[in-house]
Every structure is written in C-alpha cells, then in structure tokens.
C-alpha cells in the first residue's frame, strides 16, 4: 500500500492506538530501514494489524472487510472459482442479491483489471474491500476446502428455477446428496472447531449458521433461504421428528461419527416468524470425562470437595446459571465415586453423558416421571449415591433432604448466582432451616472462562488501576512476590490455532462454601446470604472472582474473561 507515513500515523494517534512520541519514532525508524510505514508497523509494533488496515481503508476512502467476524456466504463463494480466488488472493464474503453485487475481501483492492475480468465472468457488479492478507488466506482455505460451496451451488440449481434447474419435490430433495452433504459438512465443521452448539437460524433473506465455541456464539456460514426447508427436514429425519409438523417445538437426538470421534446430538426445533430454527447440542461420546483438577479446581477448594464427597450422607449442591458447566462437574465427581461397591443412581433432564456402571434415568414429564416421582422411586432401589438433575420445587427439595437424612449422599444443582444464596433459596423452596443445617455439606458455585491460547500467548504489564483492582479483590490471597516484582498478565494475540480469538478451550472458576458450625448457626437463625458469605470469608472462603483473578495471574485466562462471567 502506497500511503503517506504521516497520514497513517496521525490517523492511529487520532484513534488512540499510538502516542505522538511513538508515531515520531516509527516514522524515523521506517525511513531508516526503507520499509513502507504499514509494513514496519505490522512487523515491529504491538498495534493490532486490524487497526492498521482499518486506518489505511479510512484514509484511502475504500471499504474495509473484517473477515474474522464474517461468515462464509455460500452464494458469494459460488460465483468465484477456487482457482481464481487462490491466484488473485481474494475471497467473496457477501452477495447482495437485491443489487446484484458480489463483495470480495483482498489485500490489493486497487486492481481495476481484476474487477473488469470478474464482472464479465460473473455477470455481477464487483466491489473489492481492503482486508487482512492472513484472514483472506484463512477464509479461502475454509470456504473452499470444506467443499461446502460446490454442494450449495448444486442444491441451488435444484431449488431456483431461474438458475437453469427445475423446482423439485421437497420429499425427494431432503434425501438428495447436496442437502445431505451440506448437513454433514455443518456437523463436521462443528466438531473440528470444538463447538458445543450449532444454531441454524432463518432470516428474511438467508439462513445463518452459528457455532458456540468456548461459550461464545460465532457466525460462520450464510446459506440461501431457498434451501432452508430441505435443510431442516433433513435434520428432522435424522432426529426422528415429524417433518410435516412445523407449528410446535420438537425435540430429538441422533449420533454422528467422523473419524474416531463420535458425537451425540440433542436437537431442538422452534417455529419462528421466518421459519423453523434448529439448535443442536453436541455431546462428545469419546474423550472421557475430565477430572476436577482438569476442570480447574485445586488447592483448598479441591480439598474441601474431596472431604465432602467421602462422607456417607449429606447434600452437595452445584450452583450457577445455564451453561456454567454444573453437569460436567457433577459427572466428574460421580466418575470418581463410581466403584463396584456402590449403587449410583441419577435422575436427569436430559441424560447428557452415559457413564458405564451408573444407573441413569431420563425425566419424562408426559409419562409422569418427574424429579419428585423419580426420586420417590429411587429410595426403594437401595442407592448409596443419588444425583437429582435440578432442585426446582418444594416436593423435590423435601425428598432430597429426606434421602440425605436416611443415609444417602445426594448431589443436585440450583440456579443461583453464588454459593451463599443457595441457602435462602432452599428455604424459599420449603426446606426447614434445621433440616438444611443437618444435611447440607457443601455448596459449589461456578462459571466457565475461556483459556488463553498457548500458541499465541503474550505477556504484558497491566495499567496501575487494574493492579490496584487485583490487589483489592485478592486481599490476603495477593501473591507476596508481586510486592517486589512487576505484575505480569497474559493474553492471546490471535493465531490460526485459535481462529484469531486469542482463546482456546475453557477452564472453570469456583467458589466452594464449606458448611462449618458457624455457617450452620447462621442457617438456623435464617441469616441473609450476605451475612453467611461474610462469615465464610473469615473462615477462608475463596470467592469466585478471586479464584478467577488467581488463574489470570497464573496465565490461564484473562482479567476481561473473569469480569465477563463473574462480575455481579
């Protein structure tokens, strides 16, 4: 890019990405080395490449394409053959059907001859937008290596009359190769990208496919609306649902295998104004259940939980919002307790993972099998350990307490924000304080943070305000070493491995409330959650935010992630 160093540096100073002193230094240094200013900033500065490219696009008054957050638009990709995309290093990222415009991202948006060539070839108007070269190459590999574009193009021929094909019967289409291949590719990509959920959402003019990776939804694919019905019908057939029923939500499940990996998919459909939306939850059958240590529990917290689970009776509660990993923690504990000499029974809605040696029961509301009725039957099945998926009503609460009083170890979950709030919540559900005090052993609250990607991890010194915040949150837990040496935090720069996010995988942060004699007295007096928390803190309770900050200081996650999930 031929651009004035002064203009670019001024723009970056204006945006707050550089100080004037740094700008002057970079200008002189690039002249001395005879390197263009943008190239020098790419190689020698810590400024995000995206910010540099955005500033260039701003100065040149040309469109900018952020391909890291752009989904693959299969219609746009369908217009440009892979050979041309690779030869000229450009990627079609959006097709505006109303205007007949194909938008392409490239590191060289000034190439007029390629615009003329492509307009003649496609019969569409071509607009080139400036994009990061690395992102262009990555998206070319993603769009064409998936083999998704040719399949969509083939499916389009069957569905759009003016594209040279005839409109065919939906009943035939759902079993045709193109639709089956598209569904298969969507599933394959979800496994490769470690997604936990797939969302297939109809909009007015298109169907978007989003994947939840490490707890964050990312849009990765845009499909023509014309194939939506066939796509949904194909998924319904696999899940053994009724294809002709589109007015009410439905649930189903099926198994998908790719290589050595086998995945169980829990499927849910929902009618929306633009058509049926499908969400598929992926549950890996392979890979095993992680240990408590692998989940991120350690030190005094791990010791307290290990003590609680070795007791022959009592109630242990895991709390947190939906998607905070409560079920995984419970399965991890059950796997540890799973021996020939004990009878473990679980009552779940639904059964997410099947564990050999454990008797797992699925809730069935229509047949009258609820948490309460199931738990009543469990007590006649001579169990040692009982897992109740969730305590959500008075009857289940009282039966769980009854089970613990009669010598069973009971595990369950509650939807509360922290550990101490679980006690008033149980009282709200009709439990007597003296019974809670006699059976409750431990309460674990948790959230899930994204782990920093090890391949692009970098270290930096935080600003004084963040240092002070860490110090005040951790209090006595603040490592003494930082009194004499600088605090170092970590973050991921973004690389191929982590899809430019800087995060790869997840780790849990915990708060383990031990029910001590002092806490028991507070329960009997029906004290508030805040008062219980204060007493527990004096006895050594590590708050969830503190656990997160300690993990951030160890370079496992970032302060931003901890605040995103644990800030109350």
């Amino acid at each position: 890019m031929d651009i004035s160093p002064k203009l670019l540096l001024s723009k970056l100073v204006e945006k707050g990405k550089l100080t004037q002193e740094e700008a002057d230094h970079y200008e002189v240094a690039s002249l001395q080395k005879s390197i263009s200013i943008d190239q020098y900033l790419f190689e020698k500065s810590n400024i995000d490449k995206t910010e540099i490219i955005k500033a260039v696009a701003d100065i040149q008054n040309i469109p900018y394409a952020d391909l890291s957050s752009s989904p693959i638009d299969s219609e746009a990709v369908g217009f440009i053959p892979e050979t041309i995309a690779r030869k000229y290093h450009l990627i079609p990222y959006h097709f505006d059907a109303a205007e007949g415009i194909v938008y392409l991202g490239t590191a060289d948006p000034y190439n007029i001859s390629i615009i003329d060539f492509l307009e003649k070839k496609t019969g569409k108007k071509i607009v080139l937008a400036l994009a990061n070269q690395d992102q262009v190459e990555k998206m070319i590999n993603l769009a064409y290596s998936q083999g998704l574009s040719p399949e969509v193009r083939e499916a389009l021929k069957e569905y759009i009359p003016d594209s040279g094909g005839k409109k065919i019967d939906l009943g035939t289409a759902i079993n045709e190769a193109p639709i089956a291949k598209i569904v298969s590719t969507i599933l394959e990509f979800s496994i490769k990208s470690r997604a936990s959920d797939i969302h297939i959402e109809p909009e007015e003019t298109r169907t978007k496919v989003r994947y939840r990776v490490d707890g964050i939804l990312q849009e990765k694919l845009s499909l023509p609306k014309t194939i939506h019905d066939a796509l949904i019908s194909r998924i319904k057939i696999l899940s053994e649902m009724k294809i002709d029923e589109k007015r009410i939500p439905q649930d189903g499940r099926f198994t998908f295998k790719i290589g050595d990996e086998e995945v169980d998919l829990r499927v849910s459909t929902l009618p929306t104004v633009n058509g049926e939306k499908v969400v598929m939850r992926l549950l890996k059958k392979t890979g095993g259940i992680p240990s408590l240590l692998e989940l991120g529990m350690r030190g005094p917290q791990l010791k307290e939980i290990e003590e609680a689970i070795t007791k022959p009776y009592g109630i242990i509660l895991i709390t947190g919002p939906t998607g905070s990993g409560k079920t995984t923690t419970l399965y991890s504990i059950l796997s540890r307790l799973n021996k020939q000499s004990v009878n473990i029974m679980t009552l779940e809605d639904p059964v997410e993972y099947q564990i050999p040696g454990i008797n797992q029961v699925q809730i069935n509301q229509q047949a009258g099998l609820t948490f309460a009725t199931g738990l009543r039957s469990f007590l006649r099945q001579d169990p040692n350990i009982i897992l109740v998926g969730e305590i959500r009503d008075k009857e289940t609460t009282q039966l769980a307490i009854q089970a613990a009083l009669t010598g069973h170890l009971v595990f369950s979950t509650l939807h509360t924000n922290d550990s101490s709030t679980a006690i008033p919540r149980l009282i709200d559900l009709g439990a007597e304080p003296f019974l809670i005090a006699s059976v409750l052993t431990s309460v674990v609250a948790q959230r899930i943070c994204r782990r920093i990607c090890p391949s692009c991890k970098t270290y930096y010194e935080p600003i004084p305000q963040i240092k002070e915040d860490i110090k005040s949150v951790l209090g006595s837990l603040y490592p003494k070493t930082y009194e004499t040496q600088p605090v170092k935090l970590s973050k991921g720069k973004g690389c191929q491995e982590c899809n430019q996010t800087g995060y790869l995988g997840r780790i849990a942060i915990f708060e383990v409330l031990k029910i001590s004699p002092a806490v028991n007295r507070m329960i009997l007096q029906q004290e508030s959650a805040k008062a219980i928390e204060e007493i527990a803190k004096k006895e050594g309770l590590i708050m969830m935010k503190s656990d997160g900050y300690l993990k951030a200081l160890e370079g496992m996650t970032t302060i931003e992630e901890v605040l995103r999930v644990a800030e109350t």
Side-chain angles (χ1 to χ4, degrees):
M1 301 166 204
D2 190 18
I3 192 162
S4 150
K6 268 198 166 33
L7 263 177
L8 180 57
L9 292 165
S10 302
K11 178 62 77 175
L12 290 166
V13 169
E14 185 190 311
K15 288 183 167 192
K17 304 299 171 189
L18 280 177
T19 62
Q20 192 54 56
E21 291 76 19
E22 286 172 323
D24 295 340
H25 164 73
Y26 286 137
E27 187 180 359
V28 172
S30 69
L31 287 168
Q32 284 173 343
K33 292 195 184 295
S34 302
I35 301 175
S36 68
I37 187 65
D38 51 298
Q39 196 57 40
Y40 187 82
L41 290 174
F42 278 167
E43 291 170 10
K44 307 290 182 187
S45 80
N46 284 326
I47 309 167
D48 189 345
K49 271 189 183 182
T50 303
E51 294 300 334
I52 302 166
I53 296 165
K54 266 189 198 168
V56 171
D58 221 358
I59 293 162
Q60 305 275 32
N61 200 21
I62 54 173
Y64 162 74
D66 181 8
L67 299 177
S68 65
S69 59
S70 290
I72 297 167
D73 186 333
S74 53
E75 271 192 287
V77 171
F79 288 112
I80 310 294
E82 184 179 353
T83 47
I84 291 174
R86 290 195 185 279
K87 183 178 178 183
Y88 296 103
H89 306 287
L90 41 83
I91 181 73
Y93 67 91
H94 177 58
F95 173 55
D96 184 339
E99 301 291 328
I101 304 171
V102 180
Y103 291 87
L104 295 101
T106 174
D108 179 20
Y110 319 101
N111 193 338
I112 307 297
S113 58
I114 192 72
I115 294 176
D116 292 340
F117 164 64
L118 290 175
E119 282 185 345
K120 282 186 186 125
K121 183 165 183 62
T122 60
K124 305 289 177 194
K125 189 175 181 339
I126 297 291
V127 172
L128 296 184
L130 182 62
N132 182 335
Q133 179 67 42
D134 296 342
Q135 287 180 4
V136 171
E137 296 302 328
K138 182 170 184 252
M139 203 156 170
I140 288 172
N141 289 334
L142 201 59
Y144 292 101
S145 67
Q146 281 182 357
L148 192 58
S149 164
E151 298 303 337
V152 173
R153 215 157 52 232
E154 202 177 324
L156 279 173
K157 278 182 192 169
E158 296 171 352
Y159 284 91
I160 305 175
D162 63 7
S163 68
K166 61 183 189 303
K167 195 159 187 171
I168 63 166
D169 174 52
L170 181 65
T172 318
I174 49 183
N175 293 316
E176 291 284 317
I179 293 294
K181 176 67 179 169
I182 292 166
V183 171
S184 176
T185 311
I186 288 170
L187 295 174
E188 278 177 33
F189 183 76
S190 69
I191 293 168
K192 284 177 192 162
S193 59
R194 302 172 298 101
S196 61
D197 300 82
I198 307 166
H199 292 236
I200 299 173
E201 302 170 301
E203 292 187 342
E204 207 171 332
T205 56
R206 64 177 186 140
T207 291
K208 69 177 179 188
V209 181
R210 296 196 288 173
Y211 296 95
R212 192 177 290 281
V213 181
D214 294 334
I216 306 291
L217 269 177
Q218 302 171 4
E219 191 179 338
K220 289 292 178 190
L221 186 62
S222 178
L223 297 166
K225 186 68 186 283
T226 42
I227 69 165
H228 182 79
D229 286 346
L231 201 63
I232 301 302
S233 297
R234 174 72 187 158
I235 292 165
K236 281 181 168 182
I237 283 174
L238 291 170
S239 316
E240 296 180 354
M241 294 182 201
K242 295 175 185 169
I243 2 179
D244 54 344
E245 183 54 86
K246 299 181 179 186
R247 300 160 304 165
I248 57 169
Q250 292 187 69
D251 292 305
R253 64 193 303 163
F254 68 95
T255 302
F256 181 77
K257 194 168 183 183
I258 171 174
D260 295 333
E261 293 217 51
E262 197 175 355
V263 176
D264 213 6
L265 289 111
R266 225 171 60 213
V267 186
S268 166
T269 69
L270 183 76
T272 72
V273 287
N274 292 315
E276 283 185 286
K277 176 186 172 177
V278 166
V279 174
M280 295 186 271
R281 165 66 56 93
L282 282 81
L283 305 163
K284 278 194 176 181
K285 283 188 164 185
T286 45
I289 293 160
S291 69
L292 289 170
L293 207 58
E294 286 165 340
L295 292 176
M297 196 178 276
R298 68 264 165 88
Q301 295 177 322
L302 184 60
K303 185 170 173 281
E304 275 163 25
I305 274 296
E306 283 181 334
E307 279 175 16
I309 66 177
T310 51
K311 289 183 179 172
Y313 66 91
I315 294 180
I316 296 167
L317 293 176
I318 313 281
T319 76
T322 304
S324 57
K326 301 188 294 293
T327 308
T328 307
T329 303
L330 282 172
Y331 281 162
S332 181
I333 293 170
L334 289 187
S335 297
R336 185 161 185 162
L337 297 171
N338 190 9
K339 297 186 191 84
Q340 285 286 338
S341 55
V342 291
N343 177 16
I344 301 177
M345 304 196 69
T346 78
L347 195 57
E348 302 170 64
D349 184 21
V351 172
E352 292 199 3
Y353 296 94
Q354 291 179 11
I355 311 170
I358 292 179
N359 304 289
Q360 294 170 276
V361 178
Q362 167 101 31
I363 289 295
N364 186 341
Q365 299 277 0
Q366 283 122 333
L369 177 54
T370 62
F371 283 122
T373 56
L375 190 47
R376 195 176 281 109
S377 305
F378 271 22
L379 296 175
R380 295 193 289 273
Q381 287 279 323
D382 184 32
N384 299 98
I385 297 165
I386 297 170
L387 162 64
V388 186
E390 190 188 336
I391 290 178
R392 54 169 81 143
D393 55 44
K394 187 174 181 176
E395 198 180 355
T396 313
T397 310
Q398 290 173 341
L399 283 165
I401 289 172
Q402 197 59 45
L405 283 169
T406 52
H408 303 92
L409 185 57
V410 180
F411 293 94
S412 192
T413 68
L414 264 183
H415 285 276
T416 62
N417 286 331
D418 52 43
S419 55
S420 50
T421 315
I423 294 156
R425 176 89 180 105
L426 284 175
I427 295 169
D428 287 345
L429 286 167
E432 293 289 350
F434 72 92
L435 289 176
I436 296 171
S438 58
V439 295
L440 193 61
T441 313
S442 186
V443 183
V444 180
Q446 68 178 77
R447 299 287 187 283
I448 300 180
C449 294
R450 290 180 291 170
R451 268 183 189 268
I452 296 168
C453 171
S455 305
C456 60
K457 187 194 250 188
T458 56
Y459 296 89
Y460 70 98
E461 203 172 324
I463 57 171
Q465 294 97 304
I466 290 177
K467 283 186 201 169
E468 282 309 308
D469 179 45
I470 294 171
K471 207 168 183 178
S472 71
V473 167
L474 290 179
S476 61
L477 295 169
Y478 188 72
K480 296 284 182 281
T481 48
Y482 293 129
E483 303 291 354
T484 52
Q485 61 186 54
V487 175
K488 286 279 185 198
L489 292 176
S490 313
K491 64 178 176 183
K493 283 181 85 172
C495 64
Q496 193 95 0
E497 201 73 25
C498 62
N499 197 21
Q500 309 301 326
T501 59
Y503 296 101
L504 190 71
R506 294 192 282 175
I507 192 161
I509 56 171
F510 295 98
E511 180 178 299
V512 181
L513 174 67
K514 185 181 178 182
I515 309 299
S516 64
V519 172
N520 258 335
R521 282 194 295 276
M522 305 286 278
I523 296 171
L524 290 168
Q525 289 159 15
Q526 295 194 39
E527 294 281 1
S528 68
K530 199 76 202 150
I532 292 170
E533 188 182 284
E534 288 307 317
I535 282 285
K537 274 159 87 172
K538 284 177 187 163
E539 294 188 332
L541 170 70
I542 298 171
M543 299 299 289
M544 207 169 351
K545 193 172 171 186
S546 303
D547 187 40
Y549 275 22
L550 288 169
K551 281 169 180 158
L553 286 174
E554 287 175 39
M556 292 182 189
T557 186
T558 62
I559 294 288
E560 292 80 6
E561 268 299 285
V562 176
L563 293 174
R564 179 178 72 84
V565 301
E567 191 67 290
T568 48

